[in-house]
Amino acid sequence: MEKQQRDIQLREAMDLYGNYLLRLAYTYVKSKEKAEDIVQEVFIRYYIQMEQFEGRSSVKTYLYRMVVNECHNYFKSWAYRKTELTSLFKKHDTSVSVESEILKKEEIDVIADTITTLETKYREVLWLYYYDELSVNDIALVLQCSVNTVKTRLARGRKRVGIQLEKEGFYNGNEFT
């Protein structure tokens, strides 16, 4: 494949999937800067390995899988562990008035925040399904698990979000869908 073709494919992938990948990485690492670094690294690897892509899945699924793997690698890295250790020793002032917090939040923000508190296996499935609008089959490919596992995690994740929202008074008892 010629360099010009590779450049065009990379630009298309960045335009189509860049924001989605950034949001996905952010759900894992909870840092905009680190999420940007991860996505940038994924696009570099994609560009270098473009000819090795076999096309057994869509480019979107392939890139999502790369982001998920890169996030997992980040959590195993010394840089992450060092950051976590140093943050334990820092004191944070988190005193924000409840009233101003409630005024700033909209319903979708509450749901998104609730999803981010879930265990990773539920959070990633809900995020990919609702925010990135992937099908159950695509999610199974991205996470390298069975379709039934994805369906189970979706159901359990919805239930956990519903329970949490009900505790916070934002939920009327119907299942979160």
Side-chain angles (χ1 to χ4, degrees), residues 1-54:
M1 183 181 301
E2 292 182 25
K3 182 184 181 323
Q4 187 177 13
Q5 287 176 311
R6 290 173 55 178
D7 290 349
I8 290 170
Q9 277 188 325
L10 178 66
R11 273 192 216 103
E12 287 175 359
M14 290 172 69
D15 290 341
L16 288 172
Y17 311 121
N19 288 331
Y20 293 120
L21 297 175
L22 187 59
R23 283 184 279 185
L24 175 64
Y26 182 80
T27 63
Y28 279 91
V29 297
K30 309 272 192 305
S31 162
K32 182 181 178 200
E33 294 79 19
K34 188 60 194 167
E36 289 171 345
D37 290 345
I38 287 172
V39 171
Q40 182 178 18
E41 182 64 32
V42 165
F43 279 126
I44 291 169
R45 283 193 12 238
Y46 172 66
Y47 184 80
I48 292 169
Q49 301 171 356
M50 198 176 285
E51 292 179 10
Q52 297 170 353
F53 175 63
E54 297 173 0

Side-chain angles (χ1 to χ4, degrees), residues 25-89:
Y26 182 80
T27 63
Y28 279 91
V29 297
K30 309 272 192 305
S31 162
K32 182 181 178 200
E33 294 79 19
K34 188 60 194 167
E36 289 171 345
D37 290 345
I38 287 172
V39 171
Q40 182 178 18
E41 182 64 32
V42 165
F43 279 126
I44 291 169
R45 283 193 12 238
Y46 172 66
Y47 184 80
I48 292 169
Q49 301 171 356
M50 198 176 285
E51 292 179 10
Q52 297 170 353
F53 175 63
E54 297 173 0
R56 288 186 282 167
S57 65
S58 68
V59 173
K60 182 178 182 179
T61 304
Y62 180 69
L63 291 171
Y64 272 56
R65 183 71 234 162
M66 290 175 74
V67 168
V68 169
N69 287 341
E70 194 64 32
C71 288
H72 288 290
N73 290 340
Y74 169 69
F75 289 126
K76 294 176 189 173
S77 72
W78 169 245
Y80 171 74
R81 288 183 282 161
K82 186 174 99 177
T83 302
E84 286 298 301
L85 285 173
T86 56
S87 69
L88 288 174
F89 297 108

Side-chain angles (χ1 to χ4, degrees), residues 108-122:
I108 195 142
D109 292 333
V110 172
I111 293 171
D113 289 344
T114 303
I115 289 172
T116 61
T117 65
L118 295 175
E119 295 174 56
T120 303
K121 65 184 181 180
Y122 302 119

